[in-house]
Amino acid sequence: MLSHNLGYPRVGSHRELKKASEQFWAGKIDREELQKVARKIRHQNWETQRNAGIDLIPSNDFSLYDHVLDTSLMAGAIPGRYHQLLDGKSNRELDLYYAMARGVQRDGVDIKAMEMTKWFNTNYHYLVPEFTRNQKFSRYSDKIILEFEDALQKGILTKPVLVGPVTYLLSGKEKEAGFDRIDLLDNLLPVYISILKELASRGAEWVQLDEPALVLDLTEKDKLALQSAYAQIREALPKLKVLVTSYFGALEDNLGTAASLNIDALHIDLTRGAETLPQILADQAFVASTKKLSLGVVDGRNIWKNDFQKSLNFIKSAVEVLGENRVMIAPSSSLLHSPHDLELEKNEAVLTPEIKNWMAFAKQKLDEVATLKRLATTDWATDKTFIANQQAIETRRNSALIHKPAVKARAQSVKESDFERQNAFPVRQAIQIEKLQLPLFPSTTIGSFPQTDEVRQLRANLKKGTLTIEEYEARIREEIVSSLRWQEKLGIDVLVHGEFERNDMVEYFGESLSGFVFTQNGWVQSYGSRCVKPPVIFGDVERPEAMTVKWSAFAQANSEKLVKGMLTGPVTILQWSFVRDDQPRKDTAFQIGLAIRDEVVDLEKAGIKVIQIDEPAIREGLPLRKHAWNNYLKWAVDAFRLSAAGVADQTQIHTHMCYSEFNDIIDSIAAMDADVITIETSRSQMELLDAFANFNYPNEIGPGVYDIHSPRVPTVDEMIALLEKALKVIPARNLWVNPDCGLKTRKWPETEAALQNMIIAANILRESVPVAH
């Protein structure tokens, strides 16, 4: 029985990679220093896994920015606009890499970044590959070879990891009409085979090819492509052991395809697809083969301690059918989605010992995998480690910290009328036009302004006690007033207070809600150098007191213009937290929705006339299989409506969504019934608006006119061109002008320049489109 790991967190236990990357981009360190930091993290990760007793340790799971982008570079899938950076010099590879990820605007070169979207139903963002008809691929980057060799020099024979060829193609986009990207498989496979042959020649025994597309609704053509790909790989490399991984769901109707692949081992996720195990053990062809079955029993995407009894029952059932030597033990997915190390949580005032004992981070999950392998071959019922594990599981199940009868009763008593505004949107819109007196093409931002080092230091000093709460709040008030004056001078129509008091759009609210607990070092990569520290929802959720009213009311009192109240919606708080797994997610979402509803009502009472409830995560929560969509969308939309429907018609409710493909859920987006929706459209050049146009979306829309995830400053002409595209499908009186996301991660100089261009674009548009409001 082998233990293995699919991937490990790559930013470092103290976010060393984030800090080094940002220093490199700022020109404060050179590429050698950046690579030195990266190499140190890789070495530490390998040592950690070796010390935990993991048999097959992954390499190439590390990335400086994104593993899908790494694959594009490996395969030479470099969009034409970046070819001017290809000069044959190896030391330019990093420049090309970051240009594709972040865009570039210097030395006369001005190139936009690649589109970014969510990796399946996670909060991890990847760079979307771009494909053209009859596209050719050629091996460009040898990163996977170099990292395998690096591990060998450390005495570790790793299992190199690659995004599988079919999943890679399906994760991309056709950038011209008239072809199917899966048809590029035969062009792509020679690159994969070339890489795998070189790995084998250098001593690789196992390789891991990630094919999470196996948990999606695949066409017959896609299924044939999978079989063809692995038949060709097997023919070219008969001795190399190939492990194909599926994760994030059950195989369902793809089980026959997965079981028949010409490979040496298949990985299944038993935390999100437990039904796959009995099905594959009943597949006579798989059982009769010599293939190994990798059991993903340790949850790679949540922080709760593994229930050894449950996992061992899975292992036992597999061993009884296949035998020990055909069973492998692993996390369900890459541990990329988990925080680094629970032992870094030293502050018991932040994370109490009782709740900490219910948890396991990435490092602890390695120990769980190794322990399960050991227990599977013993009489585990009398093992001290097993007994301690079961005691922790039972303690959590019955803890009085978790259950609040009043909260449960309120959520269960919600009525249909609680989801409804007073009147339909056309009535509300007429009232809001009269009450708010906004111009045509009103401008706003999404909420946050740059979090400077000085602002972050204020929060740090408050926590350390070197700044009193009175001193801290006085400084925050100064920041708010300064930002208001700047926005007024710029000419923005609906202002924001800047969110200088907030650490994170979910963490900030979780800190004010009961049923949440927080970590000091539980960082998880979201994209590139962007890390988030998700709250942990461990119990019933309610709002003990107002969370944002003080700051929003202060801001509105200091400006004659409208100032938005800024909130995070219930589905996003749910999705971007580590969620309790002892009740349906719907129940937790409704509890959060009621807490946000209380805040919305209090904001209205405080005189806030425009309130934004952000739901960027509503699309990523969508089940991977379409047959499960309706149930999720019903409760997700209801949770949002529950949070928003407590106010009068004259109060304008906004919501924000980013990096979402809306075409297939546009009716549910409309059912949310927000007065204004702001969305990301700039990287896709307004592609997303097609869904709103075809559906004839009735409410107001702010399609983001510039990409805040890149430091590049767009020109006025670019923004006007995007707005003119939008006007072809959106009535003028329904069109807002705004960035595509919050500006927290940007620097002030680029923010000021970009917003100035945005306001100029809005003013030019008003002059050229004389439509009566």
Side-chain angles (χ1 to χ4, degrees):
M1 191 181 297
L2 289 171
S3 64
H4 73 106
N5 183 30
L6 277 66
Y8 205 66
R10 54 208 189 198
V11 294
S13 57
H14 296 284
R15 295 181 294 158
E16 297 92 332
L17 181 62
K18 168 190 172 63
K19 296 164 187 174
S21 297
E22 292 175 356
Q23 286 179 317
F24 175 73
W25 298 333
K28 295 178 180 178
I29 64 173
D30 60 19
R31 72 186 65 230
E32 287 73 22
E33 184 62 28
L34 173 64
Q35 294 290 7
K36 181 180 177 182
V37 172
R39 190 162 51 250
K40 184 177 180 181
I41 293 170
R42 290 198 302 271
H43 291 177
Q44 289 172 339
N45 287 356
W46 291 329
E47 285 296 334
T48 297
Q49 292 171 85
R50 179 159 65 178
N51 293 340
I54 300 299
D55 296 320
L56 299 179
I57 297 169
S59 61
N60 200 48
D61 55 326
F62 177 86
S63 177
L64 284 171
Y65 202 96
D66 166 50
H67 61 280
V68 182
L69 178 61
D70 295 342
T71 309
S72 292
L73 214 64
M74 178 196 81
I78 301 164
R81 62 187 179 278
Y82 303 104
H83 287 184
Q84 60 187 290
L85 302 176
L86 296 170
D87 62 1
K89 296 179 182 177
S90 61
N91 65 354
R92 291 296 302 276
E93 183 176 314
L94 200 57
D95 295 335
L96 171 66
Y97 182 75
Y98 284 134
M100 293 167 72
R102 307 176 71 240
V104 61
Q105 193 173 41
R106 66 173 186 272
D107 302 329
V109 177
D110 188 356
I111 315 175
K112 294 180 181 178
M114 294 176 71
E115 184 178 348
M116 191 189 293
T117 196
K118 299 291 180 71
W119 181 244
F120 290 73
N121 57 356
T122 74
N123 188 33
Y124 176 80
H125 305 62
Y126 74 95
L127 277 300
V128 180
E130 299 178 15
F131 302 126
T132 56
R133 187 197 307 271
N134 299 321
Q135 180 168 335
K136 304 302 180 187
F137 299 90
S138 60
R139 186 168 149 185
Y140 181 79
S141 170
D142 283 340
K143 171 184 176 291
I144 187 171
I145 306 293
L146 298 174
E147 292 187 11
F148 176 75
E149 287 286 347
D150 189 22
L152 274 183
Q153 291 176 10
K154 296 286 292 180
I156 302 174
L157 178 62
T158 58
K159 171 192 57 168
V161 177
L162 266 174
V163 179
V166 173
T167 293
Y168 173 70
L169 289 173
L170 293 179
S171 298
K173 277 189 174 181
E174 298 95 345
K175 302 307 287 187
E176 57 187 27
F179 81 103
D180 185 343
R181 58 194 182 277
I182 203 66
D183 292 335
L184 299 174
L185 180 64
D186 286 341
N187 292 357
L188 176 64
L189 276 177
V191 175
Y192 272 76
I193 289 170
S194 169
I195 287 286
L196 295 177
K197 280 185 174 179
E198 185 160 347
L199 287 168
S201 72
R202 293 171 184 249
E205 296 178 0
W206 280 93
V207 293
Q208 174 184 316
L209 292 168
D210 290 342
E211 293 285 8
L214 279 163
V215 305
L216 302 178
D217 293 316
L218 297 179
T219 66
E220 287 304 312
K221 188 177 181 180
D222 297 334
K223 294 177 184 180
L224 289 172
L226 280 158
Q227 292 174 328
S228 173
Y230 289 95
Q232 292 183 57
I233 289 171
R234 169 62 74 219
E235 184 179 2
L237 293 129
K239 295 183 179 179
L240 183 64
K241 295 175 184 174
V242 175
L243 164 68
V244 166
T245 64
S246 65
Y247 43 78
F248 300 155
L251 291 174
E252 297 186 22
D253 59 322
N254 298 329
L255 187 140
T257 299
S260 67
L261 294 178
N262 198 345
I263 56 177
D264 299 275
L266 175 67
H267 173 83
I268 56 175
D269 180 344
L270 297 183
T271 67
R272 284 168 176 76
E275 63 268 33
T276 298
L277 183 59
Q279 292 168 353
I280 201 162
L281 294 179
D283 187 291
Q284 294 182 358
F286 185 88
V287 173
S289 74
T290 60
K291 295 172 191 169
K292 294 180 184 290
L293 183 63
S294 170
L295 307 179
V297 288
V298 173
D299 194 342
R301 287 179 55 181
N302 214 330
I303 46 72
W304 303 115
K305 183 169 286 187
N306 185 263
D307 182 344
F308 283 175
Q309 181 69 68
K310 183 178 180 181
S311 294
L312 287 165
N313 287 340
F314 283 140
I315 296 168
K316 180 182 178 182
S317 64
V319 168
E320 285 176 349
V321 175
L322 302 175
E324 281 183 16
N325 67 332
R326 286 183 60 192
V327 174
M328 303 170 76
I329 312 298
S332 60
S333 65
S334 170
L335 298 178
L336 165 70
H337 310 286
S338 295
H340 212 279
D341 183 3
L342 185 61
E343 291 311 309
L344 296 176
E345 303 302 319
K346 304 291 187 184
N347 190 338
E348 294 185 359
V350 175
L351 186 61
T352 65
E354 180 178 1
I355 297 177
K356 184 178 177 180
N357 190 43
W358 303 339
M359 296 180 179
F361 290 2
K363 187 176 180 183
Q364 288 69 44
K365 291 177 187 295
L366 296 175
D367 294 332
E368 289 181 334
V369 168
T371 300
L372 285 168
K373 175 189 167 182
R374 177 180 66 81
L375 290 175
T377 58
T378 66
D379 180 10
W380 67 69
T382 58
D383 186 275
K384 291 181 180 179
T385 305
F386 174 81
I387 293 170
N389 171 269
Q390 292 301 287
Q391 288 173 342
I393 299 297
E394 189 65 18
T395 299
R396 179 185 168 214
R397 183 178 295 122
N398 298 316
S399 175
L401 294 174
I402 291 175
H403 305 289
K404 295 189 175 183
V407 175
K408 294 182 192 297
R410 185 187 181 195
Q412 290 166 359
S413 64
V414 167
K415 307 181 296 295
E416 283 299 317
S417 60
D418 293 327
F419 303 116
E420 301 293 336
R421 296 287 297 274
Q422 292 174 329
N423 284 291
F425 173 72
V427 175
R428 299 199 308 267
Q429 185 180 39
I431 294 171
Q432 290 165 16
I433 287 172
E434 179 186 350
K435 295 288 187 181
L436 301 183
Q437 291 294 301
L438 290 168
L440 194 64
F441 311 126
S443 59
T444 190
T445 62
I446 304 305
S448 59
F449 280 142
Q451 292 268 326
T452 62
D453 291 340
E454 290 76 16
V455 168
R456 290 192 182 97
Q457 194 61 48
L458 287 176
R459 287 198 298 270
N461 290 342
L462 179 66
K463 285 186 176 180
K464 288 188 289 189
T466 59
L467 201 65
T468 67
I469 186 65
E470 293 78 15
E471 292 169 329
Y472 169 77
E473 291 190 348
R475 293 289 303 279
I476 294 296
R477 285 194 291 269
E478 290 174 7
E479 293 285 348
I480 291 173
V481 171
S482 175
S483 77
L484 292 172
R485 298 291 90 83
W486 177 77
Q487 294 173 78
E488 290 166 347
K489 182 179 179 182
L490 198 62
I492 294 176
D493 299 306
V494 178
L495 313 187
V496 296
H497 78 284
E499 303 181 16
F500 302 108
E501 80 285 5
R502 303 186 188 182
N503 42 16
D504 175 81
M505 66 180 290
V506 173
E507 185 176 5
Y508 178 79
F509 290 94
E511 287 176 339
S512 300
L513 296 168
S514 67
F516 284 74
V517 73
F518 294 84
T519 64
Q520 291 178 298
N521 295 287
W523 297 100
V524 179
Q525 186 181 24
S526 177
Y527 66 88
S529 68
R530 170 74 170 145
C531 298
V532 294
K533 188 149 56 72
V536 177
I537 305 176
F538 72 90
D540 290 331
V541 177
E542 64 179 338
R543 186 195 73 145
E545 58 186 12
M547 301 178 286
T548 68
V549 174
K550 178 174 73 174
W551 294 117
S552 293
F554 170 79
Q556 186 62 82
N558 278 274
S559 180
E560 294 183 0
K561 286 196 166 188
L562 295 168
V563 181
K564 279 193 292 190
M566 299 300 308
L567 303 172
T568 302
V571 178
T572 297
I573 291 177
L574 184 84
Q575 282 294 123
W576 291 0
S577 299
F578 291 117
V579 184
R580 59 189 293 191
D581 56 0
D582 62 337
Q583 72 174 15
R585 294 170 73 87
K586 171 189 173 181
D587 293 356
T588 305
F590 274 35
Q591 290 179 4
I592 302 170
L594 287 167
I596 299 299
R597 182 190 185 94
D598 293 342
E599 189 74 9
V600 170
V601 169
D602 283 351
L603 283 168
E604 183 184 56
K605 289 176 182 176
I608 307 303
K609 298 178 174 63
V610 181
I611 302 171
Q612 182 170 310
I613 309 171
D614 287 339
E615 283 291 22
I618 201 161
R619 175 63 172 79
E620 79 185 45
L622 200 64
L624 297 174
R625 296 295 191 136
K626 288 189 176 180
H627 65 73
W629 284 14
N630 287 342
N631 177 58
Y632 162 77
L633 287 168
K634 176 67 170 67
W635 67 252
V637 169
D638 280 351
F640 176 84
R641 293 177 68 120
L642 185 62
S643 72
V647 294
D649 287 343
Q650 65 192 41
T651 298
Q652 190 174 70
I653 296 293
H654 290 223
T655 191
H656 171 69
M657 300 180 185
C658 55
Y659 299 120
S660 293
E661 301 289 348
F662 293 124
N663 302 57
D664 40 17
I665 61 165
I666 187 64
D667 53 343
S668 295
I669 302 301
M672 292 171 68
D673 198 28
D675 298 305
V676 181
I677 179 173
T678 53
I679 57 174
E680 180 280 323
T681 54
S682 56
R683 281 201 181 195
S684 64
Q685 294 297 295
M686 294 282 171
E687 279 181 17
L688 291 180
L689 283 184
D690 291 343
F692 291 84
N694 296 335
F695 181 77
N696 196 21
Y697 184 78
N699 300 15
E700 298 178 21
I701 306 177
V705 295
Y706 86 89
D707 172 24
I708 71 89
H709 296 85
S710 167
R712 181 181 173 276
V713 176
T715 66
V716 172
D717 288 345
E718 285 176 41
M719 294 191 193
I720 290 174
L722 290 177
L723 288 167
E724 288 174 343
K725 272 190 180 182
L727 274 173
K728 293 177 181 178
V729 296
I730 301 173
R733 77 171 187 170
N734 286 2
L735 182 63
W736 284 66
V737 180
N738 49 264
D740 69 358
C741 206
L743 295 157
K744 173 182 176 180
T745 60
R746 299 270 54 91
K747 304 296 183 186
W748 269 112
E750 69 206 43
T751 296
E752 292 171 355
L755 288 181
Q756 188 171 36
N757 286 353
M758 186 186 85
I759 296 303
I760 294 170
N763 289 334
I764 291 173
L765 204 64
R766 286 171 188 153
E767 294 172 2
S768 63
V769 184
V771 178
H773 205 102

